[in-house]
Amino acid sequence: SDGPGVLIHTTAFTPDFGASSYLYAVDELTPDLVLDAATAIELGGRIDVSVPPREIGMRSFFVGLGEEPTIRRYDIDDDGNITVGGELSLQSFGAMDANSLISGLTFISKNRAYFVDVGTLQVIVIDPERMVIVSDFPLTGIAAPDLKTTYAWYKNIDRDRIVVAFAFDRNDDTPSPLSKVAIIDTTNDTVVYDEQSRCGYLSWTARDAAGNIYFVSHTYVAILNEAGIAGNPTFPPCMVRMLSGANGFDPDYYVDLYQIAGRPVGALMSGADDTAYTLVYSESANPLTPDTVDAAYGTEAWTHHSMKLGKEAATFGEVPGVVPGIPYSAGQRLTVAGAPVPVVTRVAQDFAETIIYDASNPSSWTRLATVPNYIYGIHDLP
């Protein structure tokens, strides 16, 4: 197909965390890539971007707006031109916005896609071709009435199922050790739930070659823990997993990442085979205290480390040649020179720029491109 091959989704933040989002459609990633903001699709606030898999047969991508409960479809024509192809409002379902998960729409076919609304704890099924709502059902097993706020960031696809882990704040705004998972069966729209309280604030995820899903606690947990303000009870930076096809967490798997690294740890990105990457707070960085916590989120003090999933302690080591970044990083599969490769990002001070790496080889990353602002996602366009 002609036209652009890659969609880059970036967000620029103001000091008070106001945001503007930009979508760039480019032919490919190159080390000398320069993005022209004049050619970008610019949208207010944070947004979510989802791209249907090529086999669905739609030359489109979908944006969940952050400032209103609207899903917008953009279509790509044979000349590579991008136009708005339709909009769908979720307002009648009580949704406050359509920026719910990262790449939150799950496409089953041209006429069936799933939107998980974290704010209202429901699933809304849409027809992406006709841009109408098909059905909806609640995520009743996720609510935690004694806790203050519910979060979710990522989804995973396990065969015909959508797996989403949920995190919670306690009433004193500290991270709860409780984690819940919703396993949504797209063949019959039923949901199975599970929970555990060993490892909370599950955020980033990775997969091994067998399709097992690994979840890690947020870097937020590591920062608060180190500063001694993580509430009671606390839990260390940690990992849990769900085996492919299972109906909940694997009771036999728990990893204390602080014990392995001896430092604050967070984030999880898939590499090749069974490799995954995480971020470790540098030994040479300033100590984390209640006074320095807020600054820690924008400070370049976190180094990428690699490990083999399931053999974390024995294989843990720093990725050479990558300078420290802030405690955020993204990872996904992307087609580079015709082959699927794992890409991982390194984010600069105060979210000012992001370097995209081919992370196929944990001992030697290759820089693919450098772009301004913070990358939420990089997508193959259909």
Side-chain angles (χ1 to χ4, degrees), residues 286-311:
N286 292 329
L288 291 170
T289 68
D291 293 333
T292 62
V293 158
D294 288 347
Y297 300 102
T299 303
E300 295 175 349
W302 298 76
T303 58
H304 281 86
H305 281 58
S306 67
M307 57 188 168
K308 287 281 188 187
L309 293 166
K311 300 175 183 167

Side-chain angles (χ1 to χ4, degrees), residues 38 44 52 66 72 108 122-123 184 190 213 223 229 233 269 299 353 371:
R72 183 179 292 165
I108 308 300
Q122 65 183 323
V123 178
I184 302 157
T190 58
I213 304 167
I223 291 168
I229 52 171
M269 290 71 63
T299 303
E353 77 171 17
V371 306

Side-chain angles (χ1 to χ4, degrees), residues 11-22 43-46 67 351 376:
T11 299
F13 296 107
T14 58
D16 60 354
F17 270 86
S20 298
S21 295
Y22 301 87
L43 297 161
R46 304 187 202 198
E67 298 188 338
F351 302 90
Y376 269 103

Side-chain angles (χ1 to χ4, degrees), residues 120-336:
T120 56
L121 294 181
Q122 65 183 323
V123 178
I124 300 169
V125 185
I126 72 165
D127 179 329
E129 189 169 56
R130 292 168 52 229
M131 290 301 278
V132 295
I133 289 169
V134 176
S135 61
D136 67 295
F137 53 94
L139 294 172
T140 49
I142 294 302
D146 54 331
L147 295 171
K148 183 175 177 180
T149 320
T150 304
Y151 303 97
W153 290 277
Y154 293 92
K155 59 129 205 260
N156 279 277
I157 307 303
D158 182 38
R159 301 171 194 172
D160 293 322
R161 311 182 313 164
I162 304 167
V163 180
V164 181
F166 289 82
F168 303 92
D169 275 340
R170 290 181 281 219
N171 289 317
D172 63 357
D173 292 324
T174 60
S176 168
L178 174 70
S179 292
K180 296 190 179 190
V181 66
I183 304 162
I184 302 157
D185 189 330
T186 62
T187 64
N188 57 17
D189 289 357
T190 58
V191 190
V192 174
Y193 304 96
D194 193 28
E195 61 183 66
Q196 49 80 31
S197 291
R198 292 193 291 180
C199 187
Y201 240 68
L202 301 181
S203 53
W204 285 263
T205 71
R207 306 288 284 274
D208 65 18
N212 305 316
I213 304 167
Y214 293 75
F215 306 94
V216 74
S217 55
H218 200 288
T219 46
Y220 172 70
V221 170
I223 291 168
L224 292 191
N225 264 31
E226 189 73 359
I229 52 171
N232 183 33
T234 59
F235 57 96
C238 49
M239 281 169 61
V240 292
R241 78 176 173 192
M242 185 184 126
L243 298 174
S244 179
N247 279 333
F249 294 104
D250 177 356
D252 300 322
Y253 178 91
Y254 168 84
V255 173
D256 181 333
L257 287 168
Y258 195 95
Q259 197 173 19
I260 293 174
R263 312 283 307 151
V265 185
L268 194 63
M269 290 71 63
S270 287
D273 306 317
D274 288 337
T275 300
Y277 297 101
T278 190
L279 297 172
V280 178
Y281 192 67
S282 172
E283 215 155 354
S284 59
N286 292 329
L288 291 170
T289 68
D291 293 333
T292 62
V293 158
D294 288 347
Y297 300 102
T299 303
E300 295 175 349
W302 298 76
T303 58
H304 281 86
H305 281 58
S306 67
M307 57 188 168
K308 287 281 188 187
L309 293 166
K311 300 175 183 167
E312 294 81 7
T315 58
F316 202 81
E318 188 170 343
V319 177
V322 179
V323 297
I326 67 172
Y328 297 88
S329 179
Q332 57 203 95
R333 308 288 287 185
L334 194 70
T335 302
V336 177

Side-chain angles (χ1 to χ4, degrees), residues 369-380:
T370 303
V371 306
N373 302 316
Y374 178 64
I375 289 183
Y376 269 103
I378 320 156
H379 307 272
D380 286 326

